[in-house]
Amino acid sequence: MDSAFAMEVLDKAPYITVSFTKSDGSPYGVPLSLARKDEKTFYFHGALEGDKMDCIAYNPKVALSAVTRCTPTVGPKDGSFTLQYKSAMAVGIAEVVTDKAEKIEALRIICQRFLPQHMDAFAAAIERSLERTAVVKITLTEPPTGKRKQYDKQGEEMKWQRME
């Protein structure tokens, strides 16, 4: 599937697994709540110290993956056990945001995605916790890709980017 499909999956996923590399070369993947600013920029927040920050300092290259609409099913035509899904993958560079204005903007984007009904409390939350919160920006280095397995109403698998 094309990058627009992949972006839709990334936008709808409740979390996105971000895979980092530890200093010993071992992988470190963790599901995070990311929010997208534009076609290349995602943000997440967390603690000022810890494994994610150590990984970013060692190697800022990251991989993102997400799955939505994951439904076990029996293939309508052949009775095979299968899974309908939509997925997306992307790669990028992670960096800790140090500019105060960008950090606040990123936190606003995150809050608007996950708690839009509580934006009236945003300023107080920033006042309370900005200095003890890390914000990480992930800039995609290439367009994301997507995959899916989906059946149409007649039970035919929708291949080659065919939409209903």
Side-chain angles (χ1 to χ4, degrees):
M1 303 299 289
D2 63 17
S3 62
F5 173 90
M7 281 296 192
E8 182 179 328
V9 171
L10 292 167
D11 286 341
K12 289 183 178 179
Y15 61 87
I16 297 170
T17 299
V18 180
S19 297
F20 303 87
T21 305
K22 289 186 167 190
S23 61
D24 66 2
S26 64
Y28 178 68
V30 61
L32 298 170
S33 299
L34 272 65
R36 180 165 65 104
K37 175 183 176 182
D38 55 36
E39 294 302 308
K40 287 187 164 193
T41 311
F42 289 81
Y43 291 106
F44 70 87
H45 75 292
L48 295 170
E49 297 178 351
D51 286 338
K52 291 185 292 296
M53 296 301 140
D54 293 344
C55 289
I56 293 166
Y58 170 71
N59 182 354
K61 294 179 184 176
V62 296
L64 285 61
S65 65
V67 178
T68 62
R69 198 170 176 234
C70 188
T71 308
T73 190
V74 174
K77 293 287 186 178
D78 62 6
S80 62
F81 292 96
T82 190
L83 190 67
Q84 292 191 87
Y85 64 90
K86 294 180 178 181
S87 67
M89 299 172 290
V91 293
I93 301 293
E95 63 182 297
V96 178
V97 175
T98 56
D99 179 76
K100 183 177 180 178
E102 182 181 5
K103 194 172 173 181
I104 292 169
E105 176 192 13
L107 290 168
R108 183 180 311 281
I109 290 166
I110 294 167
C111 287
Q112 285 175 328
R113 175 167 186 219
F114 294 102
L115 290 168
Q117 68 277 24
H118 294 289
M119 291 308 293
D120 58 328
F122 180 78
I126 290 297
E127 183 70 29
R128 261 190 332 273
S129 60
L130 182 65
E131 297 306 317
R132 58 187 168 110
T133 302
V135 172
V136 174
K137 173 169 63 174
I138 296 175
T139 305
L140 300 186
T141 54
E142 56 191 68
T145 60
K147 294 188 180 291
R148 71 154 189 215
K149 184 165 194 175
Q150 186 174 340
Y151 293 95
D152 64 17
K153 292 177 179 150
Q154 290 73 41
E156 296 291 330
E157 187 176 348
M158 295 169 46
K159 294 187 178 196
W160 311 112
Q161 300 189 17
R162 182 171 70 89
M163 305 302 280
E164 279 190 288

